[in-house]
Amino acid sequence: MEIAALGIDVGSTTVKMVAVNRAGALVWDYLEPVAPRVSRQVDDFLAKLGAKIGSLAEIPLVATGYGRNLVQQARQSKTEISCHAHGVFQELGHGGTLIDIGGQDSKVIVIGARGRILDFAMNDKCAAGTGRFLENSAARMQIPVAEMGAVALTATEEFTITSTCTVFAESEIISLLAQGVAVEPILMGLHRALVKRVAAMVRSVGLVPPLLLSGGVVKNPAIRKVIADETGEEVFVPTHPQLMGALGAALFALKLAD
Amino acid sequence: MPINIPQRKAVIQDIKSRGGMVAAVLPIHYPRALLRAFNIFPVEVWGPPRVDVSLGGSQLQSYVCAIVQNALSFIKMGALEIADLILIPHTCDSLQGLTSLLIDMVKPPSPVFPLYLPRGRREEDVIFLAEELQSLYAGLAELTGRRPTDAELLAAIAREELCDQLSGRLYEQRQTLGLGNLDFYRLLRSREYLPAEEFAALAESALAVEAAPLPGTPLLLSGILPEPMMVLDLIEEMKGLVVADDFAGCGRRLYRPGLSPEPFRRLAESLVAAPPDPTRGNAIGDRVQFLVEMAAKTYARGVIFYEVKFCEPELFDLPELRAALKERGLVSLHIEVDINNPLPQQTATRIGAFLEMLNH
């Protein structure tokens, strides 16, 4: 396996690391929940990769994500906005409006035809437009997060969740369940509530089609469907949506290798 | 070069020890010279930090900005009792509400003077403001027992006009003063409490320095005030350079001198002709033109709207303003801050991403 550069995305929920070859293609990746001691966790990541391919000393590493400044091994750090845009542009080969929904924030990034960021907006003050909103709700409803989307899509009706706050939404779920409302319509309403927050951000920057998605949350099929519903746009999702930040970081690292 | 700027508290004590009076002045526009002609020294109150905001919160809605919340809390703590008067310009509904609260309910020991500002730049606005300033004069005369002559008023006006001119030159020479973002704004903002003579001396000493141009991606900042000021260091750490601003407390107070030889009219002309400001009802189109021209003149590559949370005059204009700037090729970033809190990590990410975007 040829590795020319490495990227690491230290998110609020998971840490993702990828390796790319000289052509910028993703050749290795690893993901696990973020640990409190990020630097040690990165050491473990590098040791795992080193065990496979030998010395990594000369291979440049760029860090991104919420904990990027904790990665002492990185030669450079870049914001997740630049990295997600770079990764998605490389993967999909065109610009557009990228929605990235992460565990604890969400972003909307307008990417130009040549991969340049033209504008962006970020929600980082409220959990209601992020993966945390679904995680909390999933816990309350005792449904695994990974299954939430599929279950929601079986709903034949939808309950409107009026609260846009994660904490109040949880109270609302409890109240609806107590009234005997079925799980599926509540779930669909939760997906809609999350997406409406993100759609407002899209409107604030102005949607430039096509609509691109990244982040772990977009693996959820109901999120993809509701985003398409709310925006009226077909959505394009890279093969590894959760790794786009790390991929972008690796691509920046590749420039350092040159 | 570090600048030795006297501390606000020491300045107030010095004024008092010399028999001067102190006016606590709330944002934004007011006639400094008129106060000084009465030997009253204006000390501005821009929502001082580290106050118990629950004191103000008990009488204000939660969506009133921190500048007003903190000011009310500060007054209720008794911290403004050192002031001989409180002057509150009618800048926004929240400040007008604060004036009513103070006069009708809180009744602080120092007298409260409202100042009504016109919402336009027409001749009738100048006339209105000149009359308003005359009423303020009458109130101050009653308070102090003094009646400054026109010559005394014009002398005070001349001192403040010199400071306005020096502030303008500080902006013009911004990049060769050798001052980092934070030091530059500490110097500019010292005028919030320094007597004109002291500010002029500081500004002149700063202007005497000619340093190598500072590096960094040139940025323009807009909003009410650069608070928390740590944002200035943050921008510098990320290799950005604040080359100009449209802050209500800074760049929007670069007053040009009035033309009239009559003091009240001269003051009014100067205040009315100040750079466009949403709190004075200036049109968004005027603001767009002003910002685009400022960016072109200073080579600023983007605008950061660094806004105080819940500031209605600022936030109402913002979507339209940003869209119009974008059409004119000037990209912008919007950050909302609570001036009572330290800057969150997310703010650093946004500014970092904005600079990366500009430098791509």
Side-chain angles (χ1 to χ4, degrees):
Chain A
M1 178 168 56
E2 179 220 353
I3 291 181
L6 295 166
I8 186 161
D9 177 1
V10 184
S12 58
T13 313
T14 55
V15 183
K16 288 79 69 174
M17 190 166 190
V18 307
V20 294
N21 63 18
R22 275 182 209 288
L26 197 155
V27 293
W28 176 85
D29 66 84
Y30 190 76
L31 178 151
E32 66 180 33
V34 68
R37 307 244 183 280
V38 169
S39 198
R40 199 179 299 165
Q41 190 172 24
V42 177
D43 277 339
D44 291 345
F45 272 41
L46 292 171
K48 280 189 182 94
L49 184 59
K52 268 191 166 184
I53 64 156
S55 170
L56 300 171
E58 299 302 315
I59 300 178
L61 168 67
V62 166
T64 187
Y66 159 81
R68 62 188 177 280
N69 294 325
L70 300 171
V71 183
Q72 291 152 6
Q73 302 86 340
R75 282 200 204 169
Q76 203 179 71
S77 70
K78 285 269 181 188
T79 65
E80 47 271 44
I81 291 159
S82 293
C83 289
H84 274 271
H86 204 19
V88 168
F89 184 76
Q90 158 93 1
E91 276 287 285
L92 297 179
H94 53 78
T97 302
L98 169 65
I99 296 175
D100 173 78
I101 308 178
Q104 213 155 275
D105 70 19
S106 48
K107 323 165 194 46
V108 175
I109 308 166
V110 181
I111 306 170
R114 286 192 282 177
R116 205 175 149 212
I117 296 175
L118 302 179
D119 204 351
F120 67 89
M122 203 173 166
N123 159 38
D124 48 37
K125 287 182 191 151
C126 169
T130 74
R132 187 74 73 215
F133 180 74
L134 290 182
E135 270 177 30
N136 274 27
S137 308
R140 175 55 59 194
M141 300 173 91
Q142 297 181 336
I143 294 174
V145 178
E147 292 170 24
M148 277 184 100
V151 176
L153 287 175
T154 64
T156 52
E157 58 176 336
E158 183 177 325
F159 254 89
T160 303
I161 302 295
T162 53
S163 296
T164 48
C165 162
T166 300
V167 177
F168 288 141
E170 209 174 316
S171 310
E172 205 168 336
I173 292 167
I174 295 167
S175 169
L176 287 169
L177 290 173
Q179 289 167 38
V181 175
V183 164
E184 293 81 0
I186 300 175
L187 274 179
M188 204 57 198
L190 283 167
H191 283 77
R192 181 88 51 200
L194 185 155
V195 169
K196 278 188 182 291
R197 299 286 293 208
V198 177
M201 266 203 303
V202 172
R203 278 190 285 276
S204 79
V205 294
L207 197 159
V208 179
L211 195 55
L212 323 170
L213 305 182
S214 72
V217 176
V218 306
K219 291 198 289 186
N220 175 324
I223 287 288
R224 297 198 296 268
K225 180 188 179 304
V226 180
I227 289 177
D229 285 353
E230 288 290 326
T231 59
E233 292 287 330
E234 186 184 354
V235 297
F236 295 83
V237 186
T239 316
H240 306 289
Q242 205 168 2
L243 301 179
M244 291 302 98
L247 175 63
L251 295 171
F252 280 118
L254 194 57
K255 289 179 189 165
L256 299 178
D258 299 339
Chain B
M1 183 199 70
I3 301 178
N4 189 13
I5 300 173
Q7 294 292 308
R8 185 179 299 247
K9 202 170 175 181
V11 171
I12 294 171
Q13 281 165 350
D14 184 50
I15 291 166
K16 287 285 193 178
S17 70
R18 288 189 282 123
M21 294 171 80
V22 169
V25 185
L26 279 99
I28 300 168
H29 303 283
Y30 67 98
R32 286 183 172 108
L34 181 56
L35 296 169
R36 279 300 308 278
F38 283 90
N39 199 30
I40 298 170
F41 292 77
V43 174
E44 299 176 14
V45 180
W46 289 83
R50 295 181 293 281
V51 295
D52 177 1
V53 289
S54 65
L55 290 170
S58 65
Q59 279 175 303
L60 295 169
Q61 295 93 333
S62 55
Y63 49 81
V64 168
C65 80
I67 291 176
V68 174
Q69 298 264 7
N70 287 14
L72 179 57
S73 302
F74 208 53
I75 289 165
K76 289 174 95 176
M77 283 163 65
L80 285 191
E81 282 176 17
I82 194 163
D84 299 282
L85 69 127
I86 300 171
L87 177 65
I88 311 185
H90 180 187
T91 297
C92 60
D93 290 349
S94 299
L95 278 167
Q96 191 188 19
L98 177 67
T99 314
S100 305
L101 264 178
L102 292 182
I103 292 172
D104 299 336
M105 317 279 290
V106 179
K107 302 182 193 305
S110 322
V112 177
F113 288 83
L115 174 66
Y116 294 95
L117 296 166
R119 292 284 186 266
R121 293 168 152 184
R122 302 155 302 180
E123 172 60 16
E124 50 266 46
D125 295 312
V126 175
I127 294 168
F128 171 88
L129 183 54
E131 286 172 1
E132 188 62 19
L133 296 176
Q134 279 172 326
S135 307
L136 179 60
Y137 175 97
L140 296 176
E142 194 179 326
L143 177 75
T144 60
R146 300 170 189 220
R147 297 196 70 83
T149 62
D150 278 6
E152 286 168 326
L153 283 167
L154 287 168
I157 290 171
R159 276 198 300 271
E160 297 298 339
E161 284 179 353
L162 172 66
C163 288
D164 292 336
Q165 189 203 20
L166 289 169
S167 296
R169 282 181 53 206
L170 286 171
Y171 277 100
E172 281 164 19
Q173 290 175 227
R174 162 76 187 101
Q175 296 191 47
T176 54
L177 296 173
L179 296 175
N181 290 335
L182 184 62
D183 281 338
F184 181 72
Y185 279 94
R186 282 182 58 236
L187 171 60
L188 272 178
R189 294 191 62 195
S190 66
R191 203 177 168 200
E192 291 171 14
Y193 60 91
L194 280 182
E197 304 83 334
E198 289 183 44
F199 175 80
L202 269 181
E204 275 166 353
S205 72
L207 286 164
V209 174
E210 194 173 342
L214 292 168
T217 304
L219 292 172
L220 200 163
L221 264 53
S222 179
I224 292 292
L225 78 167
E227 199 74 59
M229 287 184 84
M230 65 185 77
V231 73
L232 298 166
D233 272 342
L234 189 69
I235 289 172
E236 202 160 295
E237 278 165 27
M238 294 177 173
K239 316 244 179 308
L241 179 70
V242 182
V243 290
D245 77 71
D246 168 52
F247 280 124
C250 306
R252 282 184 216 156
R253 296 203 293 183
L254 287 178
Y255 304 112
R256 283 176 301 182
L259 298 173
S260 173
E262 193 284 310
F264 294 103
R265 185 171 168 93
R266 188 178 181 94
L267 281 170
E269 284 171 347
S270 176
L271 288 168
V272 163
D277 185 333
T279 68
R280 296 189 307 129
N282 298 132
I284 291 176
D286 291 347
R287 294 192 65 200
V288 171
Q289 190 62 27
F290 179 76
L291 288 169
V292 167
E293 282 172 11
M294 193 194 289
K297 193 172 150 195
T298 57
Y299 302 100
R301 294 178 51 200
V303 184
I304 297 179
F305 289 97
Y306 188 67
E307 302 287 4
V308 174
K309 203 170 175 178
F310 304 128
C311 178
E312 288 185 354
E314 289 284 318
L315 296 173
F316 281 169
D317 274 8
L318 207 53
E320 219 174 303
L321 182 61
R322 291 187 68 200
L325 290 176
K326 199 171 175 180
E327 270 178 29
R328 303 278 296 267
L330 194 55
V331 289
S332 64
L333 172 70
H334 172 209
I335 294 174
E336 245 177 281
V337 292
D338 183 335
I339 62 171
N340 289 318
N341 294 333
L343 281 183
Q345 158 74 17
Q346 290 91 334
T347 299
T349 295
R350 285 169 196 227
I351 293 172
F354 189 61
L355 285 164
E356 284 171 4
M357 179 176 107
L358 294 176
N359 291 323
H360 184 78

